[in-house]
Amino acid sequence: MRLRLSREVIKDDLVRRVEDLSGQNIAMCYQCGRCSAGCPVVDEMDILPSEVIRLLQLGQIEEVLDSKTIWICASCLQCASRCPRGVEFSSICDALRAIVLRRRIATPSVDAGDVSRVMVTDAPQMGVVGALRKLNG
Amino acid sequence: MKIPYYPGCTLHERALDFDKASRECANVLGVELEELPIWTCCGAVFPLTTDSVMEILAAVRNLAYAARMGDKVVTLCSFCYNVLKRTNKVMREDEERREKVNLFLRADTETRDKTESFLKKDYVGQVDVLHYIEMLRDVVGFDEMAKRVKTRLEGLRVAPYYGCMLLRPHGEMKFDEHPEQPTIFEEFLTALGCDVVDFPMKTECCGGFQIVRDEETAIACSQTVVSSAVKRDADLIITTCPLCLYNLDRKQKEMEKRVNGFRKIPVIYFTQLLGIALGIDDEHLDFSDNYVDPRPALAEKNLV
Amino acid sequence: MEHRIGVFVCHCGSNIAGVVDVKRVAKQLADYPGVAYSTDYLYMCSDPGQNMVKDAIKEHNLTGVVVSACSPTLHEATFRRAGAAADLNQYRVEMANIREHCSWVHRGDKEKATEKAIKIIKTMIEKVKQNEALEPISVPMTHRALVVGGGIAGIQAALDIANAGHDVVLVEKTPSVGGHMAQLSETFPTLDCSQCILTPKMVEVSQHPRIKLLTYCEIDDVSGYVGNFKVRIKKKAAYVNRDICNGCGLCVEKCPRTVASEFEEGLATRKAIYTPFAQAVPNKPVLDRDNCIYFESGKCGICQKICPVDAVDYEQTDEFLEEEVGAIVVATGFDLYPIVNIGEYGGGSIEDVVTSLQFERLLSASGPTGGEVRRPSDGEIPKEVVFLTCVGSRDPENHVSYCSKVCCMYLTKHAMLYKHNVHDGQAYVFYMDVRTGGKGYEEFYQRATEEDDVLYVRGKVSKVFEEDGKVMVWGVDTLTGRKVEIAADLVVLGLAMVPNSTAVELSKKLKIQVSEWGFYSEAHPKLRPVESLAPGFYLAGAAQGPKDIPDAVAQASASASKVCALFSEKEYHREPIVAWIDEDECSGCKVCISVCPYDAIEFDSQKGISRIQEAICEGCGACIAACPSATIQQRNLTDSQLYKMVSAALED
């Protein structure tokens, strides 16, 4: 299937919302791929960080919202700190998760009830709180 | 000298060992860490969405508590440091969010004023957020610290692990002049007499909170870090972050299962290492929670 | 004559001495017949080294010198100067190349390398023994330049040469100077208006007291050689006496015949009698005979009737002018690669698929739409506009192999200007690479994405076709691996830059080389980028290769400075190592004339012999090899010398 590009498609409202929420100008990304190259958890992702941005440039946000990638980001900010155009993928990721979580259009990837007993008694509080805030809202 | 101190939840519970060693070291160096009389969780992670107001409220409250006590607040946990420092920047620079947050704080004041008047004025970023290592360098001074060292850690090969939250985002954290090649812990270790082991993974992510969602993902990260230090013949790794320690130390149990011939390496808090050098008593040096016991490595160099 | 040759063996640091036993070489050659002095030194080209040569010439009364060192291309001039400074004729100084020809290629075999070095030097000693004392050939020179082409490069070159105090003849084949730059809207990366920066220069070139501007003229023939060219120029019949014409424009207004305007790239019309554009210089019309009703049928004649000064003259014919010049700057510019060759993008048959120059006109305030972007088919404002880079370029299989260098930048500019024009429109640029080498260029490109939301799509478009009043663009986004399509309102093709259609034909008249794709060849791609291999010809602008305005102007100024350097001497001096014919032996068979690539040999029909014109001969040796009676010899490279050299080399 050919992807039909048009003003309407690439100026998708939800993509604009991602830009607002993340404070990032998605058009600035020139696809050098450095974010994907340095991401420590990229192996687990189904869509590369740079590809996520590319899909947003093409208005394909639904595909991005359905991806595993946005839940795998560890917010380590390696991508943001090295981006030559100052685009913070980690912020875009936060914004994408916020859209999913606020609208409850998907099940949160970490459920408060599911965090295992072991985790709660074993892991540092900051880890549990961090995970719940980032991945559960 | 007294400095307001924000321990944060983890140091109050799971990482008591970190808290204990850090307070005692400060005492030896003539600094009294004065814990904020009231504090709450900082939120653990800084929200990256621009419309976050509620999400930073807890952190602002803690800063506002600190503002009552002085012009700075010291913290140890990397996450707390990151959240407090970034939140502080929002309060200093983002007029709209500052106004909204202070509306909440004023409401707090009205309801709690009867018992204690903890907010005299709006919080606008009056407090400087300091990491303990910055306190050592800028308030105590590494030279002064070195003078108090009882046992120089000669021959001990230490790999300093920075992780993410102290350093990033570079422009906001301004933790080190060269955030891709930071040196503050190297200077600290040199002052203690250690051999510094430089390793390329010192600013890579340990997996962070992803350990809660998916162990595999996080362990892949922490193993990269651990192996890199082991490969360069470090005797131990130091960190400033309870979550990093959890991923790097405790998860070596899993790494052992996954990797044939895996070589373990102890991971301890930097203030525990400082405590050994300063000769603080065993009461303040608790390694019982560590999966990889650092004592054999230390004993080998006659340090315990 | 007693030979007293000096041999100077250079170590070149360890370059030579690391392989060749230089001490032994110097010692052994001291005993060679005719050698009066032999020595070695660490760096012969250094100041002390050169002084050794000078001192030895005087002290030992040397009659010739062999410097045994590197390649003559590197230091022959150095040591010739040193010899001359010690009053030894510079053509009695030779170099024996024992570096490139010996030490560099024989590492690891010191013994044999040393023997070879000795042989190389011996051959040069034998050569020097018979070298004549020569003087450079002096040729009188016309201090006047011809500039071919009146675009920005030609204008700049003409102005620079004229401002340096030399007369210039500027020849332009169209009715006005200005070239393609006059067609452009705004220019990257500063977005200053093209006309605003160009037209003052056009006026200056027409009013300069040292510039003779010949528009609507073409080069018919060039003869002669550097410093002394004779140029025949065809002044095409304009059917308007442009000396009388006052440029009132009445004839243009009343002319009943309209045809597509070349200047407007076919997007608007002009009359059969016309000035190409409003700011044309000179601002006087010419009559296009091929489209004129009078010339077709003998009827009409309105222009002649209405002209208030009787300037229209149907009887006018082509005239020929002769000009004498000393140097020629070639600045004939570029054309766009023919759109008909790009069948997959419609080959020019889709109205709303336009060339980049057409789009320039659509953006231009003086263009057919008054600067509003409207598409050709229905005059609607296009909301989805697709720009394609590398149309013809970088496609060695189907079109041209090279990168046209400027398309990335001008299409970025187009997308940006379009967006400034149509705020709610969307610009897409399909690209293979975005090449933005140039001061401020990358920042310009980044601005286009950041501020003007231009969407760059990585992938070469496969097909463009018409459907439902739209232009469908079939491409791919290789970054996501997805096939994409856009129903565009307008498509702009960044067609390859090719040499002006007249370039190859002109190169034959000028006898200068062109490269594979018809761009003029420079003498050296790095170190002599503005000179042609043929002496006296200089290159400027896109005629030499695809170039943007800053590069074209820089090259034009560089050519001008080369011309000025040539003109800085009263006479032209050239190497005397040329061929000569023994008049008594020559049979007049003319074989030499037929092989000479420089037309340097003339036939003296009275004496029935051929004669070398020393001022033109390049010393290539073709005639010497071809001469059936061995009557032609090269100075200081005679058969006798060669024989001795070969003997020396073969001696045990």
Side-chain angles (χ1 to χ4, degrees), chain B residues 37-292:
Chain B
I38 311 171
W39 57 265
T40 65
C41 171
C42 67
V45 284
F46 181 74
L48 301 176
T49 39
T50 52
D51 65 348
S52 302
V53 174
M54 294 304 288
E55 291 92 332
I56 60 168
L57 200 51
V60 179
R61 281 202 184 101
N62 290 315
L63 290 166
Y65 298 146
R68 287 197 308 161
M69 296 171 64
D71 58 1
K72 49 174 92 66
V73 61
V74 167
T75 189
L76 278 151
C77 163
S78 303
F79 275 45
C80 297
Y81 174 65
N82 186 279
V83 170
L84 293 180
K85 196 154 181 178
R86 296 195 74 178
T87 303
N88 215 26
K89 185 168 185 284
V90 172
M91 295 308 284
R92 284 176 180 177
E93 294 173 10
D94 185 337
E95 212 173 313
E96 195 185 332
R97 281 206 271 176
R98 177 168 65 217
E99 188 48 39
K100 280 187 189 162
V101 169
N102 275 304
L103 276 175
F104 282 103
L105 293 192
R106 282 177 220 139
D108 282 358
T109 313
E110 281 155 23
T111 53
R112 296 190 192 178
D113 222 5
K114 288 154 197 159
T115 49
E116 54 174 294
S117 172
F118 69 92
L119 250 193
K120 298 274 194 303
K121 51 184 174 182
D122 281 0
Y123 186 75
V124 294
Q126 303 92 314
V127 169
D128 283 333
V129 179
L130 271 190
H131 191 270
Y132 191 96
I133 189 77
E134 293 175 310
M135 179 193 82
L136 289 179
R137 183 189 59 191
D138 303 333
V139 180
V140 177
F142 284 154
D143 289 347
E144 194 55 34
M145 179 188 80
K147 284 181 200 158
R148 307 283 181 93
V149 166
K150 284 197 178 141
T151 317
R152 281 185 61 82
L153 308 177
E154 305 285 349
L156 188 67
R157 292 177 57 77
V158 183
Y161 175 65
Y162 288 81
C164 315
M165 291 299 131
L166 294 176
L167 299 165
R168 295 191 279 269
H170 298 161
E172 278 190 45
M173 298 309 287
K174 294 190 169 63
F175 179 72
D176 199 292
E177 208 185 330
H178 303 289
E180 290 283 6
Q181 290 281 313
T183 51
I184 185 168
F185 279 105
E186 279 79 349
E187 288 159 29
F188 164 76
L189 291 171
T190 305
L192 300 185
C194 303
D195 287 350
V196 178
V197 178
D198 190 25
F199 69 124
M201 299 302 154
K202 68 183 180 184
T203 66
E204 290 296 314
C205 179
C206 70
F209 58 76
Q210 285 290 345
I211 195 77
V212 177
R213 188 191 62 89
D214 175 23
E215 257 199 6
E216 292 297 330
T217 303
I219 289 174
C221 294
S222 51
Q223 193 185 317
T224 306
V225 174
V226 167
S227 308
S228 174
V230 167
K231 194 174 172 188
R232 283 158 184 79
D233 289 325
D235 296 320
L236 53 85
I237 297 172
I238 56 162
T239 177
T240 70
C241 175
L243 185 54
C244 297
L245 189 121
Y246 180 76
N247 287 345
L248 297 183
D249 170 61
R250 295 283 281 282
K251 293 300 156 190
Q252 286 189 44
K253 191 176 179 180
E254 303 301 320
M255 296 176 206
E256 276 182 302
K257 290 181 201 161
R258 288 169 168 76
V259 183
N260 258 344
F262 179 78
R263 263 166 68 197
K264 290 188 291 189
I265 182 170
V267 186
I268 65 173
Y269 295 111
F270 74 107
T271 49
Q272 292 178 311
L273 189 68
L274 174 61
I276 293 164
L278 294 176
I280 64 172
D281 49 40
D282 287 350
E283 186 198 330
H284 297 102
L285 285 175
D286 177 6
F287 297 114
S288 59
D289 249 12
N290 288 59
Y291 172 68
V292 184

